[in-house]
């Protein structure tokens, strides 16, 4: 194996002090008033002998950092954690690293983070965007950065999107509950005007409308403290548990909060209330009874996100075309939505 | 609000082309053979007018990137995802960003990642280290980088550590099972010589020894595919389920794989087999019956890790002292380890 060249070796070969070499290689020649000719001579030499250049200095020159900025709502949420893991793997195999953060759906924090990423010369962005950052994303795109958005659409942002068919997913899940004989189906979710959540609500309403059933919607404010989320759901369930015979939960997070309350309130699934939740994961599979859930295609989401981004990053010419990839979900039917004891309605 | 100065404004004020200004501000003056005097004049001007300097160029000069490199075993594992989330929050509030990756406990990958992080001028490192990277970490420490290791110790690495008392945790959990009347207690975990796992195994053995009980150990190879992990556990359970009356699972991951098999094999918890698992999380809390688990103090782990790192990063003089912080765990006793139907032994 060839011995790795050190700064001392270069200094000796060129008969220049190692401090000077170090200043030049660390991009401090200007600051240290080192003449352009000497800089040129040193850079030429290190190129010839194959000295590994400082990648940060290189990134200043080439404008490439090989870092992708990933922004999810909450890295501790199993949906985002799983996607982040898959994106990270694919990125690593393609020579990219991931810098990540959780936005908490907080617009100001997200703006601040985008600014920080940009300052760090991130090559491309993968964002599950909160509302209110349309201008910031448009400005990234205008500046020529590849940006792939996922999980939710932003109106007025013409970027690449990878989303799932939220509207059909909840429409289909609600129809499933109706076909199992449930008539008083509540929808419990987070209060939000984010596209993915408004679409899920709409899908639920569309299905009920087809059967002339009345929507029963409970939306709660997002909070990082589960106890705070559970409080209004507890009140809702106490008040309405005898009127409703099924619940569709709009996210895995709210679904788990609901499940925690069922045993506390003595609600039996599916006898008292049948359940379907968005976002399948371990808890729903292992719960007794297992909970029917709308599974997002995690692998395909991650795959499409990173493939889209990499193809833009590696494109020799700026590729300004954008596309929206809409993936279908899968309704995993389990015992929590077994047929109601009353009559089953054919759908 | 003061209008943000643009490159054009600077160019006009100094009567220099904006391309030249841009080259200088982007650290390309050498490459473009721009004279040191002009560079000086431009840099002085932008300093006077408060033009925001390029942070990447700044980091080349100061050697600070305000990025912390985080390496966990698997960001999709709820234990690591929760800790990563908390570390990210604290880092963000202190002006640091997190670059992260999952090591898969793969030594080669981890070495490669450390190299990449180092190339990116990461300021400090937080690592749940696999074995075999002792030299790499020692070389980081020798180079003056703050490094905090967590979750497991590495022999021969003199760094800051944040760990839990693994030995006592499983000793205590095993004693709990014994006190509930169980006598044939198996330990099922990953085969590994990582410190945290060998300590957990030892704690289990220590407790059994005190009561003259025989260890029944099943260790399986780690794999990212759960089906592969479940296969040897399935064989083990099929063969031994009538001999054993309790199982202590060494990690949350293996615990969940075990739970998935119980219903398949018709094993009732705790009547057929009582269960305790390491690493409490949602699945164990919501399982029927709820699973007793050893809860690691996630918040305190994250807090101690980041506090230790930040204090080193912000220390005006190099602080070479290191410490090991060992945190206690909590055994959350639930129905899965209810007293055995046979006699209860006082402990």
């Amino acid at each position: 194996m060839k011995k790795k060249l050190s700064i001392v070796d270069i200094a000796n070969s060129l008969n220049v002090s190692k401090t000077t070499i170090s200043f030049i290689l660390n991009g401090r020649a200007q600051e240290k008033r080192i003449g352009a000719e000497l800089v040129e001579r040193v850079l030429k030499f290190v190129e010839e002998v194959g000295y590994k250049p400082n990648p940060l200095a290189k990134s200043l020159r080439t404008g490439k950092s090989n870092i992708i900025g990933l922004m999810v709502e909450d890295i501790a949420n199993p949906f985002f954690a799983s996607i982040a893991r898959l994106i990270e793997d694919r990125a690593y195999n393609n020579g990219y690293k991931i810098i990540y953060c959780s936005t908490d759906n907080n617009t100001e924090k997200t703006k601040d983070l985008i600014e920080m990423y940009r300052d760090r010369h991130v090559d491309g962005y993968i964002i599950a965007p909160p509302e209110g950052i349309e201008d910031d994303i448009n400005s990234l795109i205008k500046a020529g950065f590849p940006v792939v958005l996922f999980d939710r659409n932003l109106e007025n942002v013409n970027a690449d999107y990878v989303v799932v068919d939220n509207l059909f997913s909840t429409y289909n899940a609600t129809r499933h509950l109706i076909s199992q004989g449930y008539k008083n189906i509540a929808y419990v979710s987070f209060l939000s005007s984010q596209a993915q959540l408004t679409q899920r609500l709409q899908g639920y309403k569309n299905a009920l409308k087809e059967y002339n059933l009345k929507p029963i919607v409970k939306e709660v404010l997002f909070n990082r403290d589960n106890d705070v989320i559970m409080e209004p759901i507890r009140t809702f369930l106490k008040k309405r548990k005898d009127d409703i015979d099924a619940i569709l939960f709009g996210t895995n997070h709210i679904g788990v909060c609901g499940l925690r309350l069922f045993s506390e309130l003595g609600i039996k699934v599916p006898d008292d209330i049948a359940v379907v939740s968005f976002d399948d994961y371990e808890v729903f599979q292992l719960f007794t009874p297992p909970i029917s859930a709308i599974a997002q295609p995690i692998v395909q989401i991650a795959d499409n996100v990173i493939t889209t981004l990499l193809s833009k990053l590696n494109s020799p010419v700026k590729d300004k075309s954008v596309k929206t990839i809409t993936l279908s979900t899968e309704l995993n039917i389990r015992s929590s939505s077994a047929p109601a004891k009353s009559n089953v309605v054919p759908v």
Side-chain angles (χ1 to χ4, degrees), chain A:
Chain A
M1 209 178 76
K2 217 169 129 187
K3 190 176 165 290
K4 204 173 168 183
L5 216 64
S6 76
I7 284 189
V8 177
D9 299 329
I10 300 168
N12 289 341
S13 303
L14 294 176
N15 202 20
V16 175
S17 87
K18 78 176 188 342
T19 316
T20 304
I21 302 286
S22 164
F23 282 142
I24 293 171
L25 296 182
N26 286 296
R28 300 178 63 187
Q30 288 169 31
E31 178 198 338
K32 294 293 171 184
R33 307 192 186 199
I34 299 167
E37 201 192 302
L38 178 56
V39 171
E40 177 80 357
R41 191 151 64 91
V42 171
L43 291 179
K44 202 172 157 215
F45 178 79
V46 299
E47 196 166 358
E48 278 168 16
V49 298
Y51 180 82
K52 197 178 170 197
N54 179 318
L56 206 49
K58 195 177 147 214
S59 104
L60 267 179
R61 214 161 50 235
T62 63
K64 285 257 299 177
S65 66
N66 277 46
I67 293 183
I68 293 168
L70 171 68
M71 305 172 92
V72 296
E73 187 177 309
D74 178 4
I75 197 73
N77 182 308
F79 170 70
F80 289 112
S82 306
I83 288 191
R85 178 62 213 267
L86 294 162
I87 287 177
E88 179 207 336
D89 279 347
R90 282 286 303 271
Y92 174 74
N93 292 336
N94 285 278
Y96 284 88
K97 288 128 278 166
I98 299 286
I99 204 170
Y100 84 99
C101 58
S102 307
T103 65
D104 283 325
N105 280 327
N106 177 321
T107 307
E108 283 315 305
K109 186 180 176 190
T110 309
K111 280 171 185 276
D112 183 33
L113 289 164
I114 289 180
E115 180 92 349
M116 291 205 302
Y117 278 14
R118 203 163 165 175
D119 284 350
R120 293 309 310 165
H121 286 206
V122 157
D123 289 343
Y125 296 78
I126 298 172
I127 308 178
E131 303 167 279
I133 62 156
E134 289 80 357
D135 289 350
D136 308 77
I137 293 184
N138 279 328
S139 124
L140 285 178
I141 294 168
K142 211 169 154 191
F145 290 104
V147 178
V148 180
L149 305 181
F150 77 105
D151 192 49
R152 67 285 300 261
N153 287 80
L154 283 184
E155 269 182 42
N156 308 323
V157 175
N158 194 32
D160 287 299
Y161 285 99
V162 179
V163 292
V164 300
D165 192 345
N166 287 289
L167 193 85
F168 179 77
S169 301
T170 46
Y171 169 81
N172 185 45
T174 308
R175 271 180 63 118
H176 161 66
L177 285 167
I178 296 168
S179 77
Q180 298 287 67
Y182 300 100
K183 292 192 178 72
N184 301 296
I185 304 166
Y187 178 76
V188 178
S189 190
F190 288 116
L191 180 65
S192 168
S193 46
Q194 285 177 38
Q196 85 283 18
L197 293 179
T198 57
Q199 286 159 10
R200 290 178 197 174
L201 174 60
Q202 194 57 50
Y204 155 81
K205 285 183 176 169
N206 290 352
L208 291 185
K209 205 175 172 188
E210 276 187 21
Y211 292 85
N212 285 317
L213 296 172
K214 250 190 142 150
I216 306 165
V217 176
K218 179 65 192 173
E219 291 180 299
V220 304
L221 284 172
F222 177 76
N223 193 290
R224 281 186 63 185
D225 183 345
N226 279 346
D227 291 332
V228 176
I229 294 175
M230 281 157 72
E231 195 43 49
I233 306 177
R234 183 183 285 112
T235 311
F236 170 76
L237 286 175
K238 277 185 181 167
K239 203 170 139 190
R240 304 292 303 265
K241 70 184 158 93
D242 297 328
D243 319 338
I244 60 184
D245 54 14
I247 297 181
L248 173 58
F249 288 109
T251 82
N252 60 357
H253 191 161
I254 206 123
V256 166
C257 288
L259 295 184
R260 284 182 193 276
L261 288 165
F262 286 163
S263 62
E264 176 190 321
L265 301 175
I267 295 170
K268 288 201 181 59
V269 179
D271 293 352
D272 298 333
I273 295 179
V275 174
V276 177
S277 180
F278 219 97
D279 284 336
D280 202 5
Y281 82 120
E282 275 177 347
V283 166
F284 297 147
Q285 294 154 25
L286 289 163
F287 196 78
T288 307
I291 304 294
S292 300
I294 299 163
Q296 300 203 55
I298 306 271
V299 174
Q300 288 91 314
I301 293 172
D303 240 42
N304 280 287
V305 162
I306 194 82
T307 305
T308 305
L309 191 72
L310 287 174
S311 91
K312 292 237 160 148
L313 284 171
N314 299 330
S315 164
V317 288
K318 279 265 176 281
D319 176 4
K320 287 194 169 178
S321 68
V322 295
K323 61 185 170 199
T324 293
I325 300 172
T326 304
L327 302 165
S328 61
T329 61
E330 201 164 336
L331 177 61
N332 292 325
I333 297 171
R334 307 195 177 104
S335 331
S336 72
S337 58
K341 283 172 183 165
S342 55
N343 283 342
V344 174
V345 178
V347 174

